[in-house]
Amino acid sequence: MASTTAPAVVPQSGAERASRSGIWVGIFAITMSFMAFSSALFVRQGSLDWGHLVLPSILYLNTLVLLASSGTFELSRRHLEFHTAGRVGNSGSGVAWLLATLALGIAFCAGQFAAWQNLRAQGFYLATNPNSSFFYVLTFIHVLHVTAGILAFVYLLGRLTMGNGLVRRSFFDNTAIYWHFMGVLWLYLLLLCRIKL
Amino acid sequence: MSETSAQPAHVHAPPEGFWRKYVFSLDHKVIGKQYYALALVAVFTGMFLSWLMRIHLVWPAAKIPGLELMSKAGAPGGIMTPEYYLSLLTMHGTLMVFFVLTNAPFAAFGNYFLPIQVGAEDMAFPRFNMMSFWLTFLAWVVLMLAFVIPDGPPIAGWTEYTPLSAIGKDAGPGMQWGASLWGISIAIFCAASLLGALNFIATTLDLRTKGMTLMRMPLCTWAWFITSCIALLAFAVLLPACILLILDRHAGTSFFIPGGLVASDRLQPHSGGSPLLWQHLFWFFGHPEVYIAILPSMGIVSHILTNSMRKPLLSAKVVIYSMMSIGFLSYMVWGHHMFLSGMNPMSALAFSFPTLTITIPATILTLIWLGSLYGANIQINSASLFALGFISMFVSGGVSGFFLAQPSIDIYLHATYFVVGHFHMVMGVASLFGVFTGTYFWFPKMTGRYMNEGLGKLHFWITFIGTYCIFMPFHYLGLVGNIRRYQSFVDDFMAPYIPLHKFITIAALITGAAQFIFLYNLIYSRFWGKPAPENPWNATSLEWSIPSPPPWNNFGDKHPVVYHDPYQYGVKGSGGDFVMQDSPEPVTGNGD
Amino acid sequence: MGKLLGVVLVIIALVSAYPILKNQYPLPEDISTHGHLIDEQLHDTMVEAGISFIGAQLVLAFFVWSFTGRKPGSPLKNLPGGARALVIVAFVIVGMEVLALGAFGQKAWASVYFTPAKADSLQIQAQAEQFAFYFRYAGPDGKFGMIHPEKIDEGNQNYFGLDPENDVAARDDIVSGELVIPVNREIHLMLHGKDVGHSFFVRELRIQQDFVPGLDLSVHFTATKTGKYEIVCTQLCGLGHYNMKAYLNVMSQADYDNWFKQQSAQ
């Protein structure tokens, strides 16, 4: 039976619970990696050649775009059909909101690329000074992870619009968790860059 | 997190076709065997490299036949150059630590047996599992490429300290592309290990069958689970470190390279970086890594010893909590590799304290193993001999840790052969004994045939005595001040110790040769070994309740139900002095 | 075969312990003021480690001997006290021993690292490079000249990159391939790494310290006996690592003063 409201969030079967554990474990590992980068930044900051970097203002727009994409994702959740067999199907504007999320995600990546162009125009390249090195490394690795999320959206949209139009509920939920984490991670990185760089 | 009552549709379809069955398999058992095969190749390569090193150390002018084929520049006329010695040393360490000690006890046996031991059909994410093996394989290929490039493998040791590893070709031979290949290989290895750890953790938490509470999991499963938690954090830190190192080497950044360096008469175009930063990042990974190397073997030995003794360990819970404590403490001690590195001397004491504290759970484990032997009925076979040998080796390797944990003593013993003796005994021998124990024990399950017992015992005796002959003298050499990572001993004070080094080399050659007995036994028995029944050791855990070798989905269409912990030995069971985990018969007199 | 393992374990334990008990691998003579603290610590640790090692191997041997090849039907027993007794033993005895080692052991560490160099210590700069050590003395003016990495010229023996033409303080700096020091005088050795990581180790001095490029590190020590002692590099630094050495030459104060005068005259 299809329903328009999402049933309980806690997954039931072993495989579903495993995929939920998996996404959190993965997020934990990614967090640890960024902690390693952060600690490298703090150590490196102690040396004399630490200059000052003016963050390109487009970063703030990109932040809004990324946060908005989390919003559109949750909006799509309200419009999709949640079946009791742990499947999600299209209904109403669900796919449209997902497409918006995808577009915003791609816009974020494009915006980050623009930020890099802006820095290059100012003469800040990867090796110019340690601030720029960390800026490029942190933002690039973040974009790589965001791209993985974008690929997940492409898959989601593909499943919802083709074949039987159904996708596993656990995949949908886990993509959401991952995507929101990308936003949270970005807020942390932005803060780090603002304060430290 | 309770166990699930029913598993839905199969995790993956039954394998069809050669490629899906044997190459790009999603089956954790095949993947486990693939890891094992890779580890075998790596360990024999690493052993071969150590032979070359040992021969060169005591016969520096020797023309080693065939060595010139390996590297014209590294061994012109078959005589090894100093830099090639360091290349071999670097590759030996890298292969052994990553591709043997992380692969064999953890990835190989863990992949094969963890899902079965928790009653699952496969790992939680079979596709990630397959990816993790093939990424590991790719990492190995990239590393081995260092042997064939003209400049040769890197010479900075498996620890690749900066600036030596970061400034590029001005640092010396092998430090141009060789070191980059190392960085890329290890970065790929990190990603592969993270995927593997993910699988282990999710499978253990969520795919346990009905009745399989956490406390009813076998001790080796616990060890794999704890190890994968450690691995998750450790490799997540090494990966960024490798990325930053590669950037320093190729993108002109200065994460690890300070300014004003002059190498090969050239002022290096970097500034402001910190060599200590590399050491911190590396050892933050590196210390937990050595526990990743030993914990699975501890679990495997505990599991097999219980079976061989026909009696449970004095307390499985204590063993589990001890392993957990070791895992937890392993993250607080990394600075003990850096006592003399120039970091704040106060922090040396701060690191020394938890390092000494780790002695407590390690001692608890040793005392539990020893104490459990009292009053037991130990069955001697190849597997149990190696398990008992493990205890001896772990003690030997562990006590030298007392010395190195103290910064005062480390002032003298740092970078001597004492350190080399310590880590070889715990990692190179004890951990490897866990792999041998596991192999002899689980071979009948994996293949349906026994390994040859006579050859197994011969393998044990030569290896046990041989490794003592090789590595115990390292400690004495360290005490007199024999420095490590030297391709030759040119000091006058070393002259009286060269005969001891010759003894060690001969012991190494003999002990190494004995490993071919093991290899022969493995291959021969695989095809022509004596057929083994489903439960040849009268063991209790779930792997012994399924056919040998197991079917593609482990339990067929049945999902096992677990009634007991795996320590029901020395009781009245329907099959003898034991009760299997999935047997509904009650156990009289023992709570579980 | 279990009995055989028991016997072999005993033999291994005794054979391993023998060289230590007979002091066949003695530490080199201690020529420093702080070294005895390290040696005592090492000795105490050896006693504890030795007891643990021999004890554990003998217990293992005994249990393997006693509890293998038992007659079928022999009763299984549990160790009196069980796991709880062992946990208590580990915590209380081993915990206390090991932490005591740590607590007392920090004396030697503190004497090397927590006490600053005395104000009147003799300052010498050591530079480690691929693959040699060089030592610089401040000369009669008591001041070290600046180091200019871009001026380093191995061919002309300007190892430190000094600029005597423009830098007055550098003009009288003495550069030596040997670390010459007076006996019974505290030396403040400042460590400068030129290219990659190296380490300074004199076994008899019981001093070992890494050179970290980019970091100003130093050690201080006092030698108590004249003579020549080897300085070796203990941090892998490249192909010449095994051969990277210099000599510590401890002289009487009079001989040192002569040497210094001679060097200054050049």
Side-chain angles (χ1 to χ4, degrees), chain A residues 4 19 43 61-62 73 93 107 109 127 146:
Chain A
T4 48
S19 68
V43 168
L61 176 64
N62 295 344
F73 194 108
S93 49
C109 294
V146 165

Side-chain angles (χ1 to χ4, degrees), chain B residues 310-553:
Chain B
R310 312 311 302 168
K311 166 177 175 274
L313 290 175
L314 288 174
S315 170
K317 243 188 209 143
V318 168
V319 171
I320 292 169
Y321 289 132
S322 299
M323 291 197 294
M324 277 188 201
S325 321
I326 289 178
F328 177 72
L329 284 169
S330 76
Y331 272 97
M332 302 168 73
V333 304
W334 81 89
H336 69 226
H337 300 269
M338 297 168 62
F339 284 150
L340 305 178
S341 66
M343 69 174 181
N344 187 331
M346 255 314 179
S347 43
L349 294 179
F351 281 112
S352 173
F353 179 68
T355 307
L356 289 167
T357 309
I358 280 199
T359 314
I360 299 176
T363 305
I364 293 176
L365 281 172
T366 310
L367 291 179
I368 297 272
W369 290 322
L370 285 175
S372 304
L373 290 173
Y374 177 87
N377 183 8
I378 308 171
Q379 309 300 304
I380 290 290
N381 53 45
S382 307
S384 64
L385 280 172
F386 274 105
L388 295 166
F390 171 90
I391 301 174
S392 173
M393 287 303 178
F394 182 67
V395 167
S396 300
V399 296
S400 50
F402 284 1
F403 295 82
L404 300 170
Q406 301 172 60
S408 310
I409 299 183
D410 198 52
I411 292 177
Y412 183 76
L413 290 177
H414 176 73
T416 63
Y417 263 72
F418 196 90
V419 179
V420 185
H422 167 69
F423 67 69
H424 274 95
M425 287 207 110
V426 270
M427 291 206 297
V429 189
S431 182
L432 218 50
F433 269 40
V435 175
F436 288 139
T437 302
T439 308
Y440 287 106
F441 187 71
W442 279 314
F443 191 88
K445 178 52 57 186
M446 292 163 75
T447 62
R449 296 175 187 277
Y450 288 103
M451 284 182 77
N452 182 293
E453 259 303 300
L455 290 179
K457 290 181 168 120
L458 181 63
H459 173 227
F460 168 75
W461 284 111
I462 302 180
T463 306
F464 186 59
I465 296 174
T467 47
Y468 264 112
C469 288
I470 301 169
F471 297 115
M472 193 52 88
F474 277 25
H475 300 90
Y476 315 140
L477 291 167
L479 286 172
V480 297
N482 193 169
I483 308 299
R484 65 183 288 210
R485 291 176 162 172
Y486 279 2
Q487 64 102 22
S488 168
F489 303 121
V490 299
D491 307 307
D492 291 333
F493 86 90
M494 280 301 298
Y497 301 110
I498 299 298
L500 181 56
H501 269 287
K502 288 202 169 113
F503 169 77
I504 293 170
T505 296
I506 309 240
L509 292 171
I510 296 176
T511 312
Q515 306 317 304
F516 286 97
I517 301 177
F518 173 71
L519 185 63
Y520 170 80
N521 196 354
L522 264 181
I523 297 174
Y524 180 91
S525 306
R526 164 74 179 79
F527 299 104
W528 301 290
K530 187 173 93 173
E534 202 171 86
N535 190 358
W537 312 118
N538 288 334
T540 57
S541 41
L542 287 180
E543 72 265 33
W544 304 105
S545 68
I546 56 180
S548 305
W552 69 275
N553 56 3

Side-chain angles (χ1 to χ4, degrees), chain A residues 9-10 21 40 55 60 97 110 141 151 162:
Chain A
V9 180
V10 176
S21 300
L55 297 181
Y60 303 104
W97 283 114
I141 307 248
L151 290 174
M162 297 193 276

Side-chain angles (χ1 to χ4, degrees), chain C residues 2 10 15 20 33 156-157 160 172 179 185 191 197 199 217 245 264:
Chain C
V10 172
V15 169
I20 302 295
T33 48
N156 283 332
Q157 298 186 328
F160 285 85
D172 66 346
L179 179 55
R185 170 100 185 271
L191 304 172
S199 193
L217 298 169
K245 31 185 108 283
S264 314

Side-chain angles (χ1 to χ4, degrees), chain B residues 82-83 86 89 155-157 161-164 167 170-171 173 258 260-265 267 275-276 279 309-311 314-315 318 339-342 345-346 348-349 353 356-357 359-360 363-364 367-368 370-371 373-378 380 385 388 391-392 395-396 399 402-403 406-416 457 460-461 464-465 468 472 476-477 479-481 483-488 490-491 493 497 500 570, chain C residues 1-2 4-5 8-9 12 15-17 19-20 24-28 38 41-42 45-46 48-49 52-53 56-57 59-60 63-64 67-70 74-80 82-83 86-87 89-91 94-95 98-99 101-102 105-109 112-114 130 149-150 152 154 193-197 199 201 203 206-210 212-215 217 230 232-239 241-245 247:
Chain B
E83 53 269 34
L86 293 176
L89 184 151
I155 60 173
Y161 274 16
T162 61
L164 181 63
I167 58 178
D170 284 343
L261 300 186
V262 177
S264 294
D265 290 328
L267 188 60
L276 278 186
Q279 291 187 37
M309 299 193 300
R310 312 311 302 168
K311 166 177 175 274
L314 288 174
S315 170
V318 168
F339 284 150
L340 305 178
S341 66
M346 255 314 179
L349 294 179
F353 179 68
L356 289 167
T357 309
T359 314
I360 299 176
T363 305
I364 293 176
L367 291 179
I368 297 272
L370 285 175
L373 290 173
Y374 177 87
N377 183 8
I378 308 171
I380 290 290
L385 280 172
L388 295 166
I391 301 174
S392 173
V395 167
S396 300
V399 296
F402 284 1
F403 295 82
Q406 301 172 60
S408 310
I409 299 183
D410 198 52
I411 292 177
Y412 183 76
L413 290 177
H414 176 73
T416 63
K457 290 181 168 120
F460 168 75
W461 284 111
F464 186 59
I465 296 174
Y468 264 112
M472 193 52 88
Y476 315 140
L477 291 167
L479 286 172
V480 297
I483 308 299
R484 65 183 288 210
R485 291 176 162 172
Y486 279 2
Q487 64 102 22
S488 168
V490 299
D491 307 307
F493 86 90
Y497 301 110
L500 181 56
Chain C
M1 190 155 279
L4 178 59
L5 180 59
V8 169
L9 280 166
I12 286 177
V15 169
S16 301
I20 302 295
Q24 289 178 336
Y25 296 91
L27 295 177
I38 295 178
Q41 191 66 17
L42 207 148
T45 307
M46 185 64 81
E48 303 206 15
S52 309
F53 169 76
Q57 303 290 356
V59 166
L60 178 63
F63 284 172
V64 167
F67 300 109
T68 52
R70 294 178 77 190
S74 308
L76 295 173
K77 291 178 284 194
N78 265 341
L79 189 72
L86 297 176
V87 172
V89 164
F91 267 100
V94 176
V98 149
L99 294 173
L101 277 179
Q106 61 99 17
K107 265 188 304 190
W109 184 254
V112 176
Y113 287 103
F114 291 161
Q130 288 177 325
E150 70 280 5
I152 290 177
E154 299 275 323
K194 184 188 140 200
D195 39 34
V196 299
S199 193
F201 185 35
R203 302 176 309 133
R206 309 291 195 262
I207 285 282
Q208 187 173 180
Q209 173 60 50
D210 286 357
V212 180
L215 276 187
L217 298 169
E230 219 168 14
V232 291
C233 178
T234 57
Q235 173 73 281
L236 179 51
C237 55
L239 65 91
H241 173 59
Y242 74 102
N243 212 9
M244 181 170 161
K245 31 185 108 283
Y247 278 95

